[in-house]
Amino acid sequence: MGSYRMCVCFTRKFRVTEAGPPGDVKEAFNKYAEGGTHMTAEQLRRFLLEVQGDDGGSISDAEKVVDQVLKTRHHLAKFTRHTLTLDDFHHYLFSSDLNPPINYDQVHQDMTAPLSHYFIYTGHNSYLTGNQLSSDCSDVPIIKALKRGVRVVELDIWPNSTKDDVHVLHGRTLTTPVELMKCLKSIKEHAFSASPYPVVITLEDHLTPHLQAKVAKMLAETFGDMLFVPQCECLQEFPSPEELKYKIIISTKPPKEYLKAESKDGTRSNSVKARDSDDDEWGKEPQDLTADQEDETKSDSDISDENEAYDNERPLEAADYKRLIAIHAGKPKGGLKDVLKVEPDKVRRLSLSEQTLEKAAESHGTDLVRFTQKNILRIYPKGTRFTSSNYKPLVGWMHGTQMVAFNMQGYGRAMWLMHGMFRSNGGCGYVKKPDLQMNVGPDGQVFNPKEILPVKKTLKIKVYMGDGWHLDFKQTHFDLYSPPDFYCKVGIAGVPADQIMKKTKPKEDNWTPVWEQEFTFPLTVPELALLRIEVHEYDMSEKDDFAGQTCLPVSELKPGIRAVPLSDRKGEMLNSVRLLMRFDFV
């Protein structure tokens, strides 16, 4: 760990210590190596089967693991022996490449159900590089999102200053525009770099009929056969992700819908000033990213009344444009009960703000679940999230919301949950909704998110140790005068009955902390549960320092002793930092 300067004349010296294998690892090695000093591939196979739950592994798979470990640890040993020592075995278990907590790249869910049966990785104002008021518009954040696996891209399209071309920008703000054609070309190039499953482009359309016709031509020429064009004007059921592989889907309001603007000037009242908090039982966000007053300044359905002037010419010029809209958006008149009505002969997309969803969840929770069994619901951030912060996504997912739209350029705990959810199903951007959200009882009853269910499964976790910070951070990054005092938070995000956070004791002055603490989490709806993990450095006089995080879908956790890689606060994986943990389901 080296020396730390206390003042001009004095330094504190700390002995460099390397943590050895935890007791459980030694015990497992002794048991499966049958008391010997080396573990054979056959003995490793038995360990993988009985402890790690790898029932599909063969002796050849175990031999490959042995070879990989020896190749990375002993460049010459692989030619002379084919067995693992205790240290080799520990190295294997502590390698996030060889022994990950979930299958990061394996699509394993049924992909043949209608789109409405899936949670879909969704972006909001996908073209913004920063805040919602004055940042640049660009195709770069769109490319980044697609490479991360995002499947729904939102573009706000407006006439340019001369009314002869189309720009993408956040209307009525100081954001600088980007050409629509540039965004479309980038989407075409990068749409399927991370996933073969369909990309949905949601258009917030502020165009004249003449420019809508121009957009239709742009879409057709740019995407060609990639563009999914429905055979009928209104779908009765959405196609499946499997049917729509490598397809681009357009979703917006059919042109006539834009005549029904919700207010004359295209804006809404912004009189409510109550403050709500995005903090939770985990405490304050690990970075300064707050800007939350209540109520939105602009909604997905707000649109200027300039379109009304073009009513007569609209049907002719916009026909091609309307034909390309595969997922029709729109909000029927009436209260929430009317808005959430399920129509027997057609499907549609409905957009609600995060506050409207919360109000609907209070009084119409089962209506939301029923609506999302067949139709698509999209939730977007309130307009006062000027800094591109995000909201808690679990409220949407609990009620079956497919498109929980996030500002992908923002970050914080809400975004970590989003990353965690879409690590599921091989990171393909589509996660099958649990059966309990799709089931309908004999009397028409559906899943009620408010109902407290009995415990279905219990997750037992043991946090053994952590390592890698000394490789990824400077010696004085966490503390100028001594090595860090790390502690680990573990907990569950999910339905309210399952949400909880627990933490280990801090380990003083140690770059390789060994905690060896166990935690138990009873789960009533494990299908919607996410395991939250954070590491912080304890600071007695100031705010604790952030040292890494990850979020993992509980339904995909592999049992046994696993290496869990941690990410920074933006969600980018750290090079070396990882935890050794054990997962068991009861």
Side-chain angles (χ1 to χ4, degrees):
M1 296 174 194
S3 302
Y4 292 80
R5 185 169 293 281
M6 288 296 294
C7 60
V8 177
C9 305
F10 300 99
T11 58
R12 293 176 73 191
K13 293 200 174 205
F14 291 87
R15 191 153 40 95
V16 176
T17 59
E18 189 172 331
D24 286 2
V25 173
K26 290 178 183 174
E27 192 178 308
F29 182 85
N30 289 334
K31 177 181 176 181
Y32 287 93
E34 297 168 6
T37 56
H38 288 77
M39 180 183 282
T40 66
E42 172 56 33
Q43 291 167 336
L44 176 63
R45 189 194 67 78
R46 279 184 51 233
F47 167 79
L48 295 176
L49 174 66
E50 295 172 16
V51 178
Q52 307 291 83
D54 185 6
D55 51 6
S58 63
I59 184 67
S60 64
D61 293 330
E63 287 169 351
K64 283 178 190 171
V65 170
V66 171
D67 287 343
Q68 284 176 300
V69 173
L70 295 178
K71 194 182 290 184
T72 53
R73 281 181 56 79
H74 315 283
H75 295 298
L76 296 176
K78 68 179 190 290
F79 298 112
T80 57
R81 66 177 169 88
H82 298 282
T83 56
L84 301 179
T85 64
L86 173 59
D87 285 340
D88 294 333
F89 181 61
H90 180 225
H91 172 86
Y92 160 67
L93 291 175
F94 214 174
S95 167
S96 54
D97 291 329
L98 299 176
N99 186 37
I102 64 172
N103 288 321
Y104 286 103
D105 55 2
Q106 190 176 330
V107 176
H108 58 86
Q109 295 176 352
D110 173 23
M111 302 300 285
T112 61
L115 287 179
S116 56
H117 291 221
Y118 298 84
F119 299 125
I120 310 173
Y121 205 174
T122 302
H124 170 256
N125 289 354
S126 306
Y127 49 86
L128 286 179
T129 56
N131 70 62
Q132 301 286 309
L133 297 179
S134 60
S135 65
D136 291 336
C137 301
S138 168
D139 62 332
V140 172
I142 296 171
I143 294 169
K144 281 184 182 174
L146 291 170
K147 286 183 173 179
R148 185 146 208 153
V150 170
R151 299 290 85 193
V152 183
V153 171
E154 183 189 27
L155 303 177
D156 289 20
I157 49 179
W158 294 78
N160 68 353
S161 57
T162 55
K163 310 287 186 185
D164 62 351
D165 202 0
V166 182
H167 277 170
V168 174
L169 73 153
H170 196 196
R172 308 181 190 94
T173 68
L174 300 176
T175 55
T176 56
V178 60
E179 290 180 358
L180 172 63
M181 183 55 86
K182 187 175 184 181
C183 295
L184 296 181
K185 285 179 177 177
S186 294
I187 291 171
K188 180 182 181 180
E189 185 178 346
H190 299 280
F192 306 109
S193 56
S195 168
Y197 293 102
V199 167
V200 181
I201 303 175
T202 59
L203 297 175
E204 188 174 308
D205 172 359
H206 304 262
L207 302 177
T208 63
H210 169 66
L211 287 177
Q212 287 177 340
K214 185 167 184 170
V215 168
K217 192 175 179 184
M218 284 184 190
L219 291 169
E221 289 179 355
T222 303
F223 297 117
D225 291 341
M226 293 168 69
L227 198 61
F228 172 68
V229 181
Q231 298 301 307
C232 55
E233 187 173 310
C234 211
L235 296 171
Q236 293 188 339
E237 184 180 67
F238 292 116
S240 71
E242 189 65 33
E243 290 175 81
L244 295 170
K245 263 186 172 179
Y246 300 107
K247 290 290 185 183
I248 304 291
I249 303 168
I250 304 301
S251 177
T252 186
K253 291 180 182 177
K256 64 177 182 179
E257 298 287 336
Y258 282 100
L259 300 179
K260 301 168 186 174
E262 290 190 33
S263 64
K264 286 292 180 187
D265 62 351
T267 60
R268 289 187 177 184
S269 165
N270 191 27
S271 59
V272 184
K273 294 294 181 187
R275 184 176 178 84
D276 66 339
S277 172
D278 294 320
D279 295 330
D280 57 14
E281 65 273 15
W282 289 61
K284 295 281 186 188
E285 285 284 353
Q287 76 288 330
D288 299 324
L289 192 65
T290 56
D292 303 338
Q293 287 82 32
E294 194 63 55
D295 219 342
E296 66 267 45
T297 56
K298 182 212 83 169
S299 99
D300 193 55
S301 55
D302 289 336
I303 177 98
S304 74
D305 61 352
E306 66 192 36
N307 289 321
E308 295 189 28
Y310 303 96
D311 188 14
N312 294 330
E313 59 182 298
R314 182 176 299 276
L316 291 174
E317 294 221 28
D320 287 344
Y321 180 70
K322 185 176 181 180
R323 188 177 62 85
L324 298 181
I325 301 170
I327 301 177
H328 286 212
K331 192 180 290 183
K333 289 181 179 178
L336 274 171
K337 195 84 176 171
D338 301 309
V339 166
L340 295 171
K341 187 178 178 183
V342 179
E343 298 175 72
D345 57 344
K346 67 175 183 178
V347 289
R348 60 190 168 95
R349 171 173 72 80
L350 172 68
S351 285
L352 301 176
S353 70
E354 58 175 290
Q355 302 104 306
T356 306
L357 173 71
E358 287 172 4
K359 289 170 189 169
E362 282 299 312
S363 53
H364 296 83
T366 53
D367 291 328
L368 284 165
V369 172
R370 191 174 285 107
F371 178 84
T372 56
Q373 288 181 337
K374 182 178 180 182
N375 300 283
I376 288 177
L377 179 60
R378 174 180 171 272
I379 305 303
Y380 56 90
K382 59 191 176 187
T384 49
R385 292 189 178 276
F386 303 127
T387 60
S388 296
S389 63
N390 287 300
Y391 51 99
K392 297 174 185 176
L394 262 304
V395 178
W397 292 330
M398 275 165 38
H399 292 84
T401 304
Q402 295 88 350
M403 297 182 178
V404 176
F406 260 36
N407 295 310
M408 292 297 165
Q409 72 277 33
Y411 54 94
R413 285 197 173 105
M415 181 59 85
W416 302 346
L417 296 178
M418 180 66 69
H419 291 162
M421 168 62 85
F422 289 101
R423 288 190 174 106
S424 301
N425 202 24
C428 75
Y430 286 83
V431 176
K432 190 99 167 26
K433 286 158 64 169
D435 288 342
L436 85 166
Q437 289 187 317
M438 302 305 299
N439 293 339
V440 180
D443 299 322
Q445 67 267 37
V446 296
F447 172 67
N448 183 356
K450 281 188 171 181
E451 185 181 345
I452 298 178
L453 301 171
V455 172
K456 190 172 183 179
K457 190 182 282 188
T458 298
L459 172 63
K460 292 177 71 176
I461 292 176
K462 189 166 186 178
V463 186
Y464 291 112
M465 60 189 294
D467 199 4
W469 288 279
H470 65 291
L471 299 173
D472 290 352
F473 296 91
K474 292 179 183 175
Q475 179 176 297
T476 54
H477 178 87
F478 296 105
D479 197 322
L480 291 172
Y481 307 115
S482 65
D485 308 327
F486 289 127
Y487 65 92
C488 182
K489 288 181 172 184
V490 289
I492 297 295
V495 299
D498 294 346
Q499 291 189 14
I500 193 169
M501 183 276 289
K502 301 179 181 183
K503 63 182 180 180
T504 68
K505 294 175 181 174
K507 283 295 172 184
E508 292 186 5
D509 300 337
N510 203 324
W511 281 99
T512 312
V514 177
W515 296 290
E516 298 234 23
Q517 284 186 242
E518 289 188 68
F519 303 98
T520 301
F521 300 100
L523 303 172
T524 61
V525 187
E527 300 93 335
L528 291 174
L530 297 169
L531 174 65
R532 302 171 66 170
I533 302 168
E534 293 180 23
V535 177
H536 296 263
E537 197 270 337
Y538 176 72
D539 196 318
M540 194 182 301
S541 57
E542 297 177 14
K543 184 180 175 182
D544 292 353
D545 293 315
F546 173 80
Q549 60 80 25
T550 194
C551 186
L552 301 169
V554 167
S555 61
E556 303 229 349
L557 284 176
K558 297 159 82 169
I561 301 169
R562 302 288 172 180
V564 179
L566 298 187
S567 300
D568 64 17
R569 50 168 60 99
K570 289 187 177 182
E572 301 296 332
M573 201 172 283
L574 295 164
N575 291 330
S576 313
V577 178
R578 65 212 186 279
L579 302 178
L580 189 65
M581 305 178 75
R582 181 169 186 149
F583 307 114
D584 290 299
F585 290 99
V586 180

